[in-house]
Each structure stands twice: as C-alpha cells, then as structure tokens.
Amino acid sequence: MNSDASTELRHRTVEAPAGRLHLVEQGDGPLVLLVHGFPESWYSWRRQIPVLAAAGYRAVAIDVRGYGRSSKPEAPEAYRMLDLVEDNVAVVRALGEESAVVVGHDWGSNIASASALLHPEVFRAVGLLSVPYAPPGGPRPTGVFSQIGGPEQEFYVSYFQQAGRAEAEIEPDVRGWLAGFYAALSADTMPASGEPDPHFVSRAGGRLRDRFPTGVLPAWLSRDDLDFYAGEFERTGIIGALNRYRNMDRDWEDLAPHRGAPIKQPALFIGGAVDASTTWMADAIDAYSTTLPALTASHLLDGCGHWIQQERPDEVNRLLTDWLATLDAEALRRDRA
C-alpha cells in the first residue's frame, strides 16, 4: 500500500476557468480524475478515493463548477461542455501533472468523454459510468427531448430548461427532493418493472417530485449521506447544476466539428442493468466497436441502478483498479519496446 493511502482526504482549491475548483485528493502515483454527475458532488466518489489511493494512484475528485465549494458563474452559458472540459484540463495542470485518466459518472461521464475527445494529449484513458459514450451529432437535443412523454407528460430534460421552474420545486425542500430523486433511480427503490419511471416525466402542469418514491431511502444512502448532499445544495443553490441541462443545444453547436468522432484512447464502461441510461442508450453501447475502438471492457452489473459507484462500490472498485492496472502494464510494455 502507498504510504499516503492511509492518510486523511486532502481538500484544496485550484484556479480554473470557472474561477475556483474545489477538489479532494488522496494518494500518490498516476493521476485519476473523478468527475461526478447530477445532483451530486465529490462525495459521490467517497468509496473509490481511498481504494484507488491504496492501489497506488493519486485519486482526485472535483466539485464540478456550480457545485459544492467550487465557483458558481452567474451566466447560464458558463456551463457549456467546452468550459467544463477546460476546467478538467486546468485541474491536471494545477496539480503539476502532464496527463490523467479521467473517470466520470452521469453528466460526469459526458464531461469525461468530451475531455478525452477534445484533449487526447492530456487524458490518456477514459472511464465511463452509467451514461454510455455517444459521439457528437444527431438532431438538436431539446427538440428530441420535447417529444418524449407525449402531450400528457413532460420529460425531465425539457422540464429543466425553463430558468427558475425546477429551482422553485427543489429549493424549498432540498433534502426531500434529493431523497426522492435518488430513490427513483436506485435499484432497490425504483418502480417495479413495467411501471412508469417517476423521475423522468412529470404530468402536464405537475412537478417531478409528485412521482418520486416517498418515505424510503436506497440502501446505499444513509441519513448522514443525504444530509451531506442536502447541505451542499442548501448552501450553493441548485441553479449551477441545472444550468448544465440548459446548455445542451449550445454543446450540440460547439461540438459540431467533432460529429461522429470516436474516442481513440483506452476506455472502460460500467453500467447498471436496470438503469434507464443503459436501456435508453443501448444502441450507443452496441456501437462501441466503432465509437470506442480501444475499449478495454464493457460491464453491465445485474440488478444495479443509476448510482453505480455508490450502489455497488466493491464491484466498481475492482473493475476500476483492474482496468487501471492493465493501463499501467501496457504503458510499461511500450516503454520497454
């Protein structure tokens, strides 16, 4: 075990295009940058950081701009994908590193894949959790999402587009909203097979939370964990997190020059078999031979929902450390050749 692996987590902030980015790190060795999704924080990686550190890596989990202790730019357009990618590059540089393996979950998976696509000289490999890689291109996103659910329901991405609307639902009771949101996508608390996914659609004129499970927490989420997440959003507000959704059309325009582009670095995908992200995007997973030509492995964990590294930390940790070890072995082989 690396001698630093047993030390406490180290909190620090670094300068980045966002202004300031908060990160938590542990361990020494090759840098592994961990990027969370919505609505989470660096804390989502609490069960991975010490394991990666013990395996000989410098594990660094960030608060994405708009979250936690990181800066929260005011302009909605400050949350476009290009800016989030540059934040990741700035973190690598601020830590004195030349390159990193980037691993992301949920929106963090999209941020990680865009980082690898746009800066292959910095991000030598990419790990994607829950949300598969789909190359830029296709129809304009908000147009597609507006058609989901039909006239009587509204898809959550469309629901999030109007500034202030979701904020008014969430911020009066952040803790309760988060509890329902997490439960809606966890394998042990999501609706039974065949029932509507309550998180993803609201009834016409209604709220998302009206269809959340109530009165139950997923097994992976303790009351202390929920208190931590709620405290972060009660302090910072939810608007920075929601502004990520409000830039999807800007991302579509910004990334148009990379339409259909594969990611050529070594890649890993881990998804939950009962996660809607993997069922909706099954075609993206099927296309990995073309879109991720250097894919090392793709795993679907039976009986696992969306919050994969928290629902199944031991399996995810094993898959991550095994994959990272193969990267190190391949790098050593190249060095000796």
Side-chain angles (χ1 to χ4, degrees), residues 178-211:
L178 290 175
F181 191 98
Y182 296 145
L185 290 173
S186 297
D188 60 336
T189 49
M190 66 174 56
S193 178
E195 295 182 19
D197 291 316
H199 156 63
F200 292 110
V201 291
S202 64
R203 294 186 178 94
R207 305 175 303 171
L208 284 176
R209 70 180 304 158
D210 293 338
R211 303 183 75 174

PDB file of all heavy atoms in Angstrom, residues 178-211:
ATOM      1  N   LEU A 178     -34.056  15.610  -3.024  1.00  0.00           N
ATOM      2  CA  LEU A 178     -32.929  14.724  -3.324  1.00  0.00           C
ATOM      3  C   LEU A 178     -33.225  13.287  -2.922  1.00  0.00           C
ATOM      4  O   LEU A 178     -32.899  12.346  -3.661  1.00  0.00           O
ATOM      5  CB  LEU A 178     -31.669  15.212  -2.600  1.00  0.00           C
ATOM      6  CG  LEU A 178     -31.042  16.505  -3.096  1.00  0.00           C
ATOM      7  CD1 LEU A 178     -29.875  16.899  -2.185  1.00  0.00           C
ATOM      8  CD2 LEU A 178     -30.569  16.392  -4.539  1.00  0.00           C
ATOM      9  N   ALA A 179     -33.843  13.096  -1.769  1.00  0.00           N
ATOM     10  CA  ALA A 179     -34.164  11.740  -1.320  1.00  0.00           C
ATOM     11  C   ALA A 179     -35.043  11.035  -2.346  1.00  0.00           C
ATOM     12  O   ALA A 179     -34.809   9.862  -2.695  1.00  0.00           O
ATOM     13  CB  ALA A 179     -34.856  11.777   0.042  1.00  0.00           C
ATOM     14  N   GLY A 180     -36.046  11.732  -2.867  1.00  0.00           N
ATOM     15  CA  GLY A 180     -36.923  11.137  -3.860  1.00  0.00           C
ATOM     16  C   GLY A 180     -36.228  10.901  -5.183  1.00  0.00           C
ATOM     17  O   GLY A 180     -36.445   9.869  -5.839  1.00  0.00           O
ATOM     18  N   PHE A 181     -35.396  11.831  -5.575  1.00  0.00           N
ATOM     19  CA  PHE A 181     -34.661  11.712  -6.839  1.00  0.00           C
ATOM     20  C   PHE A 181     -33.718  10.515  -6.797  1.00  0.00           C
ATOM     21  O   PHE A 181     -33.673   9.707  -7.732  1.00  0.00           O
ATOM     22  CB  PHE A 181     -33.887  13.004  -7.078  1.00  0.00           C
ATOM     23  CG  PHE A 181     -33.287  13.146  -8.443  1.00  0.00           C
ATOM     24  CD1 PHE A 181     -33.927  13.872  -9.423  1.00  0.00           C
ATOM     25  CD2 PHE A 181     -32.064  12.570  -8.750  1.00  0.00           C
ATOM     26  CE1 PHE A 181     -33.370  14.020 -10.686  1.00  0.00           C
ATOM     27  CE2 PHE A 181     -31.497  12.706  -9.998  1.00  0.00           C
ATOM     28  CZ  PHE A 181     -32.153  13.436 -10.973  1.00  0.00           C
ATOM     29  N   TYR A 182     -32.946  10.390  -5.722  1.00  0.00           N
ATOM     30  CA  TYR A 182     -32.029   9.259  -5.598  1.00  0.00           C
ATOM     31  C   TYR A 182     -32.794   7.928  -5.558  1.00  0.00           C
ATOM     32  O   TYR A 182     -32.391   6.943  -6.179  1.00  0.00           O
ATOM     33  CB  TYR A 182     -31.180   9.395  -4.335  1.00  0.00           C
ATOM     34  CG  TYR A 182     -30.245  10.581  -4.310  1.00  0.00           C
ATOM     35  CD1 TYR A 182     -29.980  11.253  -3.118  1.00  0.00           C
ATOM     36  CD2 TYR A 182     -29.618  11.042  -5.463  1.00  0.00           C
ATOM     37  CE1 TYR A 182     -29.119  12.341  -3.064  1.00  0.00           C
ATOM     38  CE2 TYR A 182     -28.750  12.126  -5.424  1.00  0.00           C
ATOM     39  CZ  TYR A 182     -28.513  12.777  -4.227  1.00  0.00           C
ATOM     40  OH  TYR A 182     -27.654  13.853  -4.180  1.00  0.00           O
ATOM     41  N   ALA A 183     -33.921   7.910  -4.834  1.00  0.00           N
ATOM     42  CA  ALA A 183     -34.695   6.676  -4.725  1.00  0.00           C
ATOM     43  C   ALA A 183     -35.284   6.268  -6.071  1.00  0.00           C
ATOM     44  O   ALA A 183     -35.400   5.073  -6.373  1.00  0.00           O
ATOM     45  CB  ALA A 183     -35.806   6.845  -3.691  1.00  0.00           C
ATOM     46  N   ALA A 184     -35.650   7.238  -6.893  1.00  0.00           N
ATOM     47  CA  ALA A 184     -36.276   6.939  -8.180  1.00  0.00           C
ATOM     48  C   ALA A 184     -35.354   6.201  -9.129  1.00  0.00           C
ATOM     49  O   ALA A 184     -35.824   5.513 -10.042  1.00  0.00           O
ATOM     50  CB  ALA A 184     -36.759   8.239  -8.837  1.00  0.00           C
ATOM     51  N   LEU A 185     -34.050   6.316  -8.919  1.00  0.00           N
ATOM     52  CA  LEU A 185     -33.087   5.718  -9.845  1.00  0.00           C
ATOM     53  C   LEU A 185     -32.210   4.664  -9.190  1.00  0.00           C
ATOM     54  O   LEU A 185     -31.236   4.229  -9.785  1.00  0.00           O
ATOM     55  CB  LEU A 185     -32.206   6.820 -10.448  1.00  0.00           C
ATOM     56  CG  LEU A 185     -32.901   7.756 -11.421  1.00  0.00           C
ATOM     57  CD1 LEU A 185     -31.974   8.890 -11.820  1.00  0.00           C
ATOM     58  CD2 LEU A 185     -33.365   7.010 -12.648  1.00  0.00           C
ATOM     59  N   SER A 186     -32.552   4.246  -7.984  1.00  0.00           N
ATOM     60  CA  SER A 186     -31.803   3.207  -7.292  1.00  0.00           C
ATOM     61  C   SER A 186     -32.513   1.867  -7.470  1.00  0.00           C
ATOM     62  O   SER A 186     -33.739   1.791  -7.402  1.00  0.00           O
ATOM     63  CB  SER A 186     -31.693   3.527  -5.800  1.00  0.00           C
ATOM     64  OG  SER A 186     -30.968   4.726  -5.596  1.00  0.00           O
ATOM     65  N   ALA A 187     -31.749   0.814  -7.669  1.00  0.00           N
ATOM     66  CA  ALA A 187     -32.341  -0.483  -7.998  1.00  0.00           C
ATOM     67  C   ALA A 187     -33.311  -0.970  -6.927  1.00  0.00           C
ATOM     68  O   ALA A 187     -34.328  -1.591  -7.247  1.00  0.00           O
ATOM     69  CB  ALA A 187     -31.241  -1.511  -8.211  1.00  0.00           C
ATOM     70  N   ASP A 188     -33.019  -0.684  -5.645  1.00  0.00           N
ATOM     71  CA  ASP A 188     -33.854  -1.235  -4.582  1.00  0.00           C
ATOM     72  C   ASP A 188     -35.064  -0.385  -4.243  1.00  0.00           C
ATOM     73  O   ASP A 188     -35.902  -0.796  -3.442  1.00  0.00           O
ATOM     74  CB  ASP A 188     -33.019  -1.495  -3.324  1.00  0.00           C
ATOM     75  CG  ASP A 188     -32.358  -0.244  -2.772  1.00  0.00           C
ATOM     76  OD1 ASP A 188     -32.143   0.713  -3.547  1.00  0.00           O
ATOM     77  OD2 ASP A 188     -32.039  -0.209  -1.565  1.00  0.00           O
ATOM     78  N   THR A 189     -35.192   0.802  -4.842  1.00  0.00           N
ATOM     79  CA  THR A 189     -36.325   1.675  -4.525  1.00  0.00           C
ATOM     80  C   THR A 189     -37.037   2.206  -5.766  1.00  0.00           C
ATOM     81  O   THR A 189     -38.025   2.925  -5.627  1.00  0.00           O
ATOM     82  CB  THR A 189     -35.864   2.875  -3.668  1.00  0.00           C
ATOM     83  OG1 THR A 189     -34.703   3.483  -4.265  1.00  0.00           O
ATOM     84  CG2 THR A 189     -35.520   2.438  -2.252  1.00  0.00           C
ATOM     85  N   MET A 190     -36.559   1.888  -6.958  1.00  0.00           N
ATOM     86  CA  MET A 190     -37.222   2.362  -8.173  1.00  0.00           C
ATOM     87  C   MET A 190     -38.514   1.594  -8.404  1.00  0.00           C
ATOM     88  O   MET A 190     -38.734   0.539  -7.801  1.00  0.00           O
ATOM     89  CB  MET A 190     -36.287   2.251  -9.385  1.00  0.00           C
ATOM     90  CG  MET A 190     -35.928   0.843  -9.781  1.00  0.00           C
ATOM     91  SD  MET A 190     -34.965   0.760 -11.322  1.00  0.00           S
ATOM     92  CE  MET A 190     -33.573   1.823 -10.965  1.00  0.00           C
ATOM     93  N   PRO A 191     -39.401   2.117  -9.261  1.00  0.00           N
ATOM     94  CA  PRO A 191     -40.671   1.430  -9.515  1.00  0.00           C
ATOM     95  C   PRO A 191     -40.453   0.029 -10.057  1.00  0.00           C
ATOM     96  O   PRO A 191     -39.424  -0.263 -10.673  1.00  0.00           O
ATOM     97  CB  PRO A 191     -41.342   2.316 -10.568  1.00  0.00           C
ATOM     98  CG  PRO A 191     -40.683   3.638 -10.444  1.00  0.00           C
ATOM     99  CD  PRO A 191     -39.279   3.357 -10.016  1.00  0.00           C
ATOM    100  N   ALA A 192     -41.434  -0.823  -9.830  1.00  0.00           N
ATOM    101  CA  ALA A 192     -41.369  -2.182 -10.353  1.00  0.00           C
ATOM    102  C   ALA A 192     -41.360  -2.160 -11.873  1.00  0.00           C
ATOM    103  O   ALA A 192     -41.834  -1.216 -12.503  1.00  0.00           O
ATOM    104  CB  ALA A 192     -42.563  -2.994  -9.850  1.00  0.00           C
ATOM    105  N   SER A 193     -40.787  -3.196 -12.457  1.00  0.00           N
ATOM    106  CA  SER A 193     -40.708  -3.288 -13.911  1.00  0.00           C
ATOM    107  C   SER A 193     -42.085  -3.132 -14.530  1.00  0.00           C
ATOM    108  O   SER A 193     -43.069  -3.721 -14.070  1.00  0.00           O
ATOM    109  CB  SER A 193     -40.106  -4.639 -14.310  1.00  0.00           C
ATOM    110  OG  SER A 193     -40.069  -4.770 -15.708  1.00  0.00           O
ATOM    111  N   GLY A 194     -42.154  -2.305 -15.585  1.00  0.00           N
ATOM    112  CA  GLY A 194     -43.406  -2.087 -16.285  1.00  0.00           C
ATOM    113  C   GLY A 194     -44.138  -0.841 -15.848  1.00  0.00           C
ATOM    114  O   GLY A 194     -45.044  -0.365 -16.540  1.00  0.00           O
ATOM    115  N   GLU A 195     -43.783  -0.280 -14.694  1.00  0.00           N
ATOM    116  CA  GLU A 195     -44.397   0.957 -14.256  1.00  0.00           C
ATOM    117  C   GLU A 195     -43.636   2.145 -14.841  1.00  0.00           C
ATOM    118  O   GLU A 195     -42.472   2.030 -15.200  1.00  0.00           O
ATOM    119  CB  GLU A 195     -44.387   1.046 -12.724  1.00  0.00           C
ATOM    120  CG  GLU A 195     -45.236  -0.015 -12.046  1.00  0.00           C
ATOM    121  CD  GLU A 195     -45.233   0.145 -10.543  1.00  0.00           C
ATOM    122  OE1 GLU A 195     -44.895   1.251 -10.065  1.00  0.00           O
ATOM    123  OE2 GLU A 195     -45.566  -0.827  -9.849  1.00  0.00           O
ATOM    124  N   PRO A 196     -44.285   3.306 -14.916  1.00  0.00           N
ATOM    125  CA  PRO A 196     -43.586   4.489 -15.440  1.00  0.00           C
ATOM    126  C   PRO A 196     -42.402   4.847 -14.557  1.00  0.00           C
ATOM    127  O   PRO A 196     -42.426   4.636 -13.346  1.00  0.00           O
ATOM    128  CB  PRO A 196     -44.663   5.587 -15.384  1.00  0.00           C
ATOM    129  CG  PRO A 196     -45.963   4.867 -15.264  1.00  0.00           C
ATOM    130  CD  PRO A 196     -45.669   3.583 -14.541  1.00  0.00           C
ATOM    131  N   ASP A 197     -41.354   5.377 -15.163  1.00  0.00           N
ATOM    132  CA  ASP A 197     -40.226   5.890 -14.387  1.00  0.00           C
ATOM    133  C   ASP A 197     -40.631   7.237 -13.813  1.00  0.00           C
ATOM    134  O   ASP A 197     -40.744   8.213 -14.553  1.00  0.00           O
ATOM    135  CB  ASP A 197     -38.987   6.053 -15.270  1.00  0.00           C
ATOM    136  CG  ASP A 197     -38.436   4.711 -15.718  1.00  0.00           C
ATOM    137  OD1 ASP A 197     -38.338   3.803 -14.898  1.00  0.00           O
ATOM    138  OD2 ASP A 197     -38.105   4.609 -16.910  1.00  0.00           O
ATOM    139  N   PRO A 198     -40.860   7.362 -12.503  1.00  0.00           N
ATOM    140  CA  PRO A 198     -41.446   8.593 -11.975  1.00  0.00           C
ATOM    141  C   PRO A 198     -40.523   9.787 -12.058  1.00  0.00           C
ATOM    142  O   PRO A 198     -40.984  10.917 -12.102  1.00  0.00           O
ATOM    143  CB  PRO A 198     -41.740   8.232 -10.504  1.00  0.00           C
ATOM    144  CG  PRO A 198     -40.773   7.147 -10.186  1.00  0.00           C
ATOM    145  CD  PRO A 198     -40.599   6.369 -11.458  1.00  0.00           C
ATOM    146  N   HIS A 199     -39.215   9.539 -12.055  1.00  0.00           N
ATOM    147  CA  HIS A 199     -38.292  10.657 -12.112  1.00  0.00           C
ATOM    148  C   HIS A 199     -38.288  11.336 -13.468  1.00  0.00           C
ATOM    149  O   HIS A 199     -38.171  12.557 -13.569  1.00  0.00           O
ATOM    150  CB  HIS A 199     -36.872  10.180 -11.793  1.00  0.00           C
ATOM    151  CG  HIS A 199     -35.807  11.069 -12.365  1.00  0.00           C
ATOM    152  ND1 HIS A 199     -35.675  12.374 -11.990  1.00  0.00           N
ATOM    153  CD2 HIS A 199     -34.872  10.855 -13.302  1.00  0.00           C
ATOM    154  CE1 HIS A 199     -34.676  12.916 -12.668  1.00  0.00           C
ATOM    155  NE2 HIS A 199     -34.178  12.010 -13.465  1.00  0.00           N
ATOM    156  N   PHE A 200     -38.478  10.585 -14.517  1.00  0.00           N
ATOM    157  CA  PHE A 200     -38.165  11.107 -15.838  1.00  0.00           C
ATOM    158  C   PHE A 200     -39.261  11.958 -16.461  1.00  0.00           C
ATOM    159  O   PHE A 200     -39.008  12.696 -17.399  1.00  0.00           O
ATOM    160  CB  PHE A 200     -37.815   9.955 -16.779  1.00  0.00           C
ATOM    161  CG  PHE A 200     -36.526   9.290 -16.414  1.00  0.00           C
ATOM    162  CD1 PHE A 200     -36.508   8.011 -15.893  1.00  0.00           C
ATOM    163  CD2 PHE A 200     -35.322   9.961 -16.556  1.00  0.00           C
ATOM    164  CE1 PHE A 200     -35.315   7.406 -15.542  1.00  0.00           C
ATOM    165  CE2 PHE A 200     -34.131   9.368 -16.205  1.00  0.00           C
ATOM    166  CZ  PHE A 200     -34.129   8.089 -15.692  1.00  0.00           C
ATOM    167  N   VAL A 201     -40.472  11.842 -15.986  1.00  0.00           N
ATOM    168  CA  VAL A 201     -41.558  12.616 -16.592  1.00  0.00           C
ATOM    169  C   VAL A 201     -42.429  13.212 -15.501  1.00  0.00           C
ATOM    170  O   VAL A 201     -42.607  12.639 -14.424  1.00  0.00           O
ATOM    171  CB  VAL A 201     -42.427  11.744 -17.526  1.00  0.00           C
ATOM    172  CG1 VAL A 201     -41.646  11.336 -18.760  1.00  0.00           C
ATOM    173  CG2 VAL A 201     -42.955  10.509 -16.807  1.00  0.00           C
ATOM    174  N   SER A 202     -42.967  14.378 -15.781  1.00  0.00           N
ATOM    175  CA  SER A 202     -43.978  14.970 -14.914  1.00  0.00           C
ATOM    176  C   SER A 202     -45.290  14.993 -15.687  1.00  0.00           C
ATOM    177  O   SER A 202     -45.306  15.096 -16.913  1.00  0.00           O
ATOM    178  CB  SER A 202     -43.588  16.401 -14.512  1.00  0.00           C
ATOM    179  OG  SER A 202     -43.549  17.242 -15.654  1.00  0.00           O
ATOM    180  N   ARG A 203     -46.387  14.880 -14.974  1.00  0.00           N
ATOM    181  CA  ARG A 203     -47.680  15.023 -15.621  1.00  0.00           C
ATOM    182  C   ARG A 203     -47.869  16.473 -16.024  1.00  0.00           C
ATOM    183  O   ARG A 203     -47.311  17.383 -15.406  1.00  0.00           O
ATOM    184  CB  ARG A 203     -48.796  14.566 -14.685  1.00  0.00           C
ATOM    185  CG  ARG A 203     -48.737  13.069 -14.373  1.00  0.00           C
ATOM    186  CD  ARG A 203     -49.954  12.626 -13.565  1.00  0.00           C
ATOM    187  NE  ARG A 203     -49.917  11.187 -13.317  1.00  0.00           N
ATOM    188  CZ  ARG A 203     -49.404  10.629 -12.231  1.00  0.00           C
ATOM    189  NH1 ARG A 203     -48.859  11.397 -11.302  1.00  0.00           N
ATOM    190  NH2 ARG A 203     -49.422   9.317 -12.066  1.00  0.00           N
ATOM    191  N   ALA A 204     -48.631  16.697 -17.063  1.00  0.00           N
ATOM    192  CA  ALA A 204     -48.832  18.060 -17.576  1.00  0.00           C
ATOM    193  C   ALA A 204     -49.237  18.997 -16.445  1.00  0.00           C
ATOM    194  O   ALA A 204     -50.216  18.749 -15.733  1.00  0.00           O
ATOM    195  CB  ALA A 204     -49.891  18.049 -18.667  1.00  0.00           C
ATOM    196  N   GLY A 205     -48.449  20.059 -16.270  1.00  0.00           N
ATOM    197  CA  GLY A 205     -48.731  21.039 -15.232  1.00  0.00           C
ATOM    198  C   GLY A 205     -48.282  20.644 -13.843  1.00  0.00           C
ATOM    199  O   GLY A 205     -48.421  21.428 -12.901  1.00  0.00           O
ATOM    200  N   GLY A 206     -47.742  19.445 -13.695  1.00  0.00           N
ATOM    201  CA  GLY A 206     -47.330  18.975 -12.375  1.00  0.00           C
ATOM    202  C   GLY A 206     -45.846  19.154 -12.128  1.00  0.00           C
ATOM    203  O   GLY A 206     -45.124  19.774 -12.914  1.00  0.00           O
ATOM    204  N   ARG A 207     -45.395  18.599 -11.010  1.00  0.00           N
ATOM    205  CA  ARG A 207     -43.993  18.665 -10.630  1.00  0.00           C
ATOM    206  C   ARG A 207     -43.352  17.291 -10.789  1.00  0.00           C
ATOM    207  O   ARG A 207     -44.027  16.262 -10.721  1.00  0.00           O
ATOM    208  CB  ARG A 207     -43.852  19.105  -9.179  1.00  0.00           C
ATOM    209  CG  ARG A 207     -44.542  20.408  -8.818  1.00  0.00           C
ATOM    210  CD  ARG A 207     -44.441  20.675  -7.327  1.00  0.00           C
ATOM    211  NE  ARG A 207     -45.004  19.564  -6.545  1.00  0.00           N
ATOM    212  CZ  ARG A 207     -44.892  19.450  -5.211  1.00  0.00           C
ATOM    213  NH1 ARG A 207     -44.209  20.360  -4.529  1.00  0.00           N
ATOM    214  NH2 ARG A 207     -45.438  18.426  -4.581  1.00  0.00           N
ATOM    215  N   LEU A 208     -42.037  17.272 -10.954  1.00  0.00           N
ATOM    216  CA  LEU A 208     -41.337  15.993 -10.998  1.00  0.00           C
ATOM    217  C   LEU A 208     -41.514  15.223  -9.704  1.00  0.00           C
ATOM    218  O   LEU A 208     -41.743  14.015  -9.701  1.00  0.00           O
ATOM    219  CB  LEU A 208     -39.850  16.221 -11.263  1.00  0.00           C
ATOM    220  CG  LEU A 208     -39.431  16.566 -12.689  1.00  0.00           C
ATOM    221  CD1 LEU A 208     -37.941  16.848 -12.728  1.00  0.00           C
ATOM    222  CD2 LEU A 208     -39.794  15.460 -13.660  1.00  0.00           C
ATOM    223  N   ARG A 209     -41.403  15.916  -8.577  1.00  0.00           N
ATOM    224  CA  ARG A 209     -41.405  15.242  -7.284  1.00  0.00           C
ATOM    225  C   ARG A 209     -42.746  14.580  -6.980  1.00  0.00           C
ATOM    226  O   ARG A 209     -42.831  13.723  -6.102  1.00  0.00           O
ATOM    227  CB  ARG A 209     -41.010  16.188  -6.171  1.00  0.00           C
ATOM    228  CG  ARG A 209     -42.012  17.263  -5.827  1.00  0.00           C
ATOM    229  CD  ARG A 209     -41.494  18.143  -4.694  1.00  0.00           C
ATOM    230  NE  ARG A 209     -41.157  17.357  -3.518  1.00  0.00           N
ATOM    231  CZ  ARG A 209     -40.314  17.766  -2.564  1.00  0.00           C
ATOM    232  NH1 ARG A 209     -39.718  18.938  -2.664  1.00  0.00           N
ATOM    233  NH2 ARG A 209     -40.064  17.016  -1.508  1.00  0.00           N
ATOM    234  N   ASP A 210     -43.791  14.957  -7.691  1.00  0.00           N
ATOM    235  CA  ASP A 210     -45.085  14.330  -7.464  1.00  0.00           C
ATOM    236  C   ASP A 210     -45.064  12.839  -7.789  1.00  0.00           C
ATOM    237  O   ASP A 210     -45.947  12.097  -7.349  1.00  0.00           O
ATOM    238  CB  ASP A 210     -46.161  15.015  -8.306  1.00  0.00           C
ATOM    239  CG  ASP A 210     -46.429  16.443  -7.866  1.00  0.00           C
ATOM    240  OD1 ASP A 210     -46.122  16.777  -6.702  1.00  0.00           O
ATOM    241  OD2 ASP A 210     -46.919  17.239  -8.692  1.00  0.00           O
ATOM    242  N   ARG A 211     -44.069  12.398  -8.560  1.00  0.00           N
ATOM    243  CA  ARG A 211     -43.995  10.995  -8.961  1.00  0.00           C
ATOM    244  C   ARG A 211     -42.779  10.281  -8.366  1.00  0.00           C
ATOM    245  O   ARG A 211     -42.459   9.165  -8.754  1.00  0.00           O
ATOM    246  CB  ARG A 211     -43.994  10.898 -10.483  1.00  0.00           C
ATOM    247  CG  ARG A 211     -45.211  11.570 -11.098  1.00  0.00           C
ATOM    248  CD  ARG A 211     -45.260  11.427 -12.593  1.00  0.00           C
ATOM    249  NE  ARG A 211     -45.667  10.083 -12.976  1.00  0.00           N
ATOM    250  CZ  ARG A 211     -45.906   9.716 -14.234  1.00  0.00           C
ATOM    251  NH1 ARG A 211     -45.774  10.598 -15.220  1.00  0.00           N
ATOM    252  NH2 ARG A 211     -46.258   8.486 -14.512  1.00  0.00           N
TER     253      ARG A 211
END
